[in-house]
Amino acid sequence: MAAKLDFLSLLTGCFATPVAENPTVVMVEAAYRAMGLDARYINCDVAPADLGDAVRGARAMGWRGFNCSLPHKVAVIDFIDELAPSAEIIGAVNCVINDDGRLIGENTDGKGFLASLREVVDPKGKHVVVLGAGGASRAVAVETALAGAASITIVNRDAARGKAVVQLVAANTAADTLFVPWTGDYAIPPDTDVLINATSIGLFPGVDDRPAVDFASIRPGMVVADVIPNPPHTAFLKAAEARGARTLDGLGMLVNQGVVGIRLWTGREPDAKVMRGALEAVFAG
Ligand code: NDP
């Protein structure tokens, strides 16, 4: 007897502009292949004025979900049905799940970071310092505070942006909060357990740049993390390692947010090692 034919792939992808250089497709499709899934991930260059049509199109075509990257992470909220709790607090969505026609917005940036952090330390009761106050900082600060961090200190040049992240964390979590204006080399407070670079400093091609901190104030054993995925081994992490810190790279965060997305879309567990290997090959090339 002939086998039942099924040529309908599970469809996922990314809506952003520009999107051509976004490598998430490489790691997600590597994961799908390793899982033996007939699933695709397609980068779509979507202009801001077309975002509503793109989301309606994805719904009409039965897409299982999609990532949203810049500039759509906030605007997409107008076109979906529901927000998951941390996406609601962060006020941004980078992953949409189509649950039987109902589009649910998640934020997997912070969750990806948290999964990486938990491989090294449980943030519960820890004192956390976050450099920067943009989208990555909001996601990382909110998710780490929801995981039970004792305190979150935001260090940023622009005081209004820094205070906005502090207010967000204070209003929605039990963590103590503090804003510190970033002037000169920031000395890390001695009771800091986890220090995170959530600025864009160090991203390719600015690979020799590193955040202005007093590296002598980094204690041995402190956990120091970077959100920068490319290059994975940033000048910031190298300097922290030289002080005896335990470090976490931004590639791990990127892989883990992909793991969370695939889990939400397929209900299955992808192989993080396959995904990291695929991305490392891209960045090495
Ligand atoms: P934003 O542009 O929203 O924020 C950038 C932040 O960096 C701001 O707080 C800005 O400070 C600060 N900053 C930039 N340059 C300097 C400088 N020279 N000195 C001090 N502060 C500086 O960016 P995002 O938050 O969206 O992204 C930040 C980085 O996070 C990106 O490089 C991105 O690659 C990475 N990222 C990584 C992810 C991963 O999975 N690994 C996921 C998401 C993002 P100010 O407010 O004072 O201007």
Side-chain angles (χ1 to χ4, degrees):
M1 203 169 74
K4 183 178 179 295
L5 300 180
D6 183 356
F7 300 114
L8 189 62
S9 304
L10 182 143
L11 295 179
T12 58
C14 180
F15 297 167
T17 188
V19 76
E21 290 184 9
N22 189 327
T24 299
V25 53
V26 177
M27 75 166 180
V28 174
E29 291 216 322
Y32 288 161
R33 275 193 300 278
M35 294 161 85
L37 274 180
D38 178 13
R40 298 294 317 280
Y41 186 99
I42 302 158
N43 273 344
C44 299
D45 200 305
V46 177
D50 295 326
L51 182 62
D53 284 344
V55 174
R56 282 185 286 275
R59 196 200 292 265
M61 289 184 280
W63 279 40
R64 184 70 184 108
F66 52 89
N67 287 127
C68 272
S69 197
L70 298 179
H72 303 318
K73 289 187 181 186
V74 175
V76 74
I77 294 173
D78 287 344
F79 305 110
I80 60 180
D81 302 307
E82 200 180 306
L83 288 178
S86 59
E88 178 138 35
I89 297 171
I90 296 163
V93 163
N94 74 333
C95 182
V96 173
I97 303 103
N98 183 349
D99 187 11
D100 268 338
R102 207 168 159 70
L103 300 184
I104 301 163
E106 264 286 3
N107 191 306
T108 59
D109 282 338
K111 289 183 167 54
F113 175 77
L114 202 57
S116 286
L117 184 61
R118 283 197 164 122
E119 289 166 14
V120 180
V121 71
D122 181 351
K124 201 170 171 52
K126 298 292 190 288
H127 297 285
V128 178
V129 171
V130 183
L131 306 173
S137 167
R138 286 169 96 89
V140 161
V142 165
E143 212 67 66
T144 311
L146 288 175
S151 72
I152 304 282
T153 298
I154 302 289
V155 184
N156 201 52
R157 288 180 311 194
D158 182 313
R161 290 181 92 190
K163 286 179 185 165
V165 180
V166 158
Q167 275 159 15
L168 193 71
V169 174
N172 293 285
T173 78
D176 290 337
T177 52
L178 178 68
F179 167 69
V180 178
W182 199 349
T183 49
D185 284 354
Y186 174 67
I188 314 303
D191 66 347
T192 303
D193 302 297
V194 181
L195 168 67
I196 305 158
N197 174 36
T199 73
S200 44
I201 302 168
L203 188 68
F204 181 87
V207 298
D208 295 326
D209 298 344
R210 50 186 208 187
V213 300
D214 173 6
F215 284 93
S217 64
I218 293 182
R219 286 181 297 102
M222 195 184 274
V223 174
V224 176
D226 207 326
V227 301
I228 299 297
N230 180 27
H233 202 211
T234 57
F236 175 63
L237 292 184
K238 286 178 193 163
E241 276 159 15
R243 295 289 309 161
R246 291 181 289 165
T247 57
L248 277 176
D249 68 29
L251 196 57
M253 173 180 173
L254 188 60
V255 168
N256 281 321
Q257 64 94 2
V259 166
V260 175
I262 292 174
R263 202 183 282 146
L264 290 168
W265 293 328
T266 70
R268 288 179 49 188
E269 197 61 24
D271 185 338
K273 284 202 189 73
V274 166
M275 295 166 68
R276 185 171 174 113
L279 275 185
E280 275 172 351
V282 168
F283 294 143

